[in-house]
Amino acid sequence: MTGARLAAEEFLSDLGDNEPPASPEHWDDILLVVTELAANAVQYAPGPFALRMRRTFDGVHVTLRDTNPTPPAPRSFNPRTGGGGIGWHLIHALCDQVSVVPDARGKDVHVFLPW
């Protein structure tokens, strides 16, 4: 999970050298989404995961590939008792688009965020 965040920070740093984000929050949102996707992969998938990031016309496309073909589903959460459940809600709140493409070996979670 730490490796994914570090890779995302390096990608954003390189991107920001040539083209800074339209808003500083975009950088933080991308890092938070990558962290949540990686945490979900570590918690729910039985094997390794792979992170891919690329610049798009109007933002950043993040793809996280894991080994669990089951699509993520929102869970209820209670801020008073903890126990998780907020990550998938955060991802949907911060991303312009979210899609999940499962296959026999796992799934790709695609998210698009503004830059």
Side-chain angles (χ1 to χ4, degrees), residues 92-111:
H92 279 271
L94 296 174
C95 297
D96 290 339
Q97 296 177 31
V98 178
S99 64
V100 180
V101 182
D103 61 35
R105 296 171 288 133
K107 68 179 167 297
D108 290 319
V109 179
H110 298 269
V111 298

Side-chain angles (χ1 to χ4, degrees), residues 18-32:
N18 297 318
E19 185 180 352
S23 169
E25 290 81 22
H26 294 332
W27 180 297
D28 296 333
D29 291 349
I30 293 169
L31 289 180
L32 178 58

